[in-house]
Amino acid sequence: QVQLVESGGGLVQPGGALRLSCTATGFNLTYYNIGWFRQAPGKEREGVARISNSGGDTYYADSVKGRFTISRDDLKRVVYLQMNSLKPEDTAVYYCAPDPPMLLDNGWTPKFAPDCRVVRDGSWGQGTQVTVSS
């Protein structure tokens, strides 16, 4: 199986924290930049954060800057999204995707720019639900 699987979501109170994981199976994550995206009900999917394949370059959307941190552990084949000071508006399903696009078991992944703008849609994973509510 060649997959990227998102996990770590849950229900958290405003001001709380969660750490999401994007885990690769069946391929080496080392060569890929990885982006995190989210989609709230009734809204378009938006880019949240991106990390380069070396880990030396990161991007954050203005809405999460200073609260979210993206990191990677290539030995474990995992990219993390540490989310602190969560707000109700962070409620969404969170997805990860590789750059450049690759063929996973569920199809070709989307193509996105360094600023996480999706330039060509593709197949997304199941995502992980994050709900921020009191």
Side-chain angles (χ1 to χ4, degrees):
Q1 289 182 327
V2 183
Q3 295 179 332
L4 269 178
V5 179
E6 303 93 346
S7 63
L11 173 63
V12 63
Q13 291 187 341
L18 283 173
R19 188 178 76 164
L20 306 184
S21 297
C22 171
T23 304
T25 57
F27 71 99
N28 192 337
L29 201 58
T30 304
Y31 305 111
Y32 295 90
N33 309 312
I34 299 293
W36 278 100
F37 302 81
R38 66 186 181 186
Q39 187 167 24
K43 295 188 177 181
E44 290 190 356
R45 202 183 319 258
E46 62 173 346
V48 174
R50 170 192 174 273
I51 188 166
S52 63
N53 54 5
S54 69
D57 181 56
T58 57
Y59 161 84
Y60 296 96
D62 287 343
S63 58
V64 307
K65 205 171 290 184
R67 300 188 297 121
F68 290 11
T69 303
I70 190 170
S71 62
R72 63 190 299 154
D73 185 337
D74 287 340
L75 289 178
K76 295 182 179 179
R77 301 188 180 188
V78 181
V79 171
Y80 301 104
L81 186 68
Q82 178 67 44
M83 306 187 299
N84 298 330
S85 302
L86 282 162
K87 304 175 181 181
E89 51 264 44
D90 295 317
T91 295
V93 179
Y94 285 70
Y95 305 87
C96 61
D99 167 55
M102 63 178 297
L103 181 60
L104 300 179
D105 287 350
N106 61 340
W108 280 97
T109 59
K111 180 175 176 61
F112 60 94
D115 63 356
C116 286
R117 179 174 46 89
V118 176
V119 297
R120 186 178 67 235
D121 207 357
S123 293
W124 298 88
Q126 292 189 332
T128 186
Q129 174 72 49
V130 172
T131 303
V132 185
S133 175
S134 54

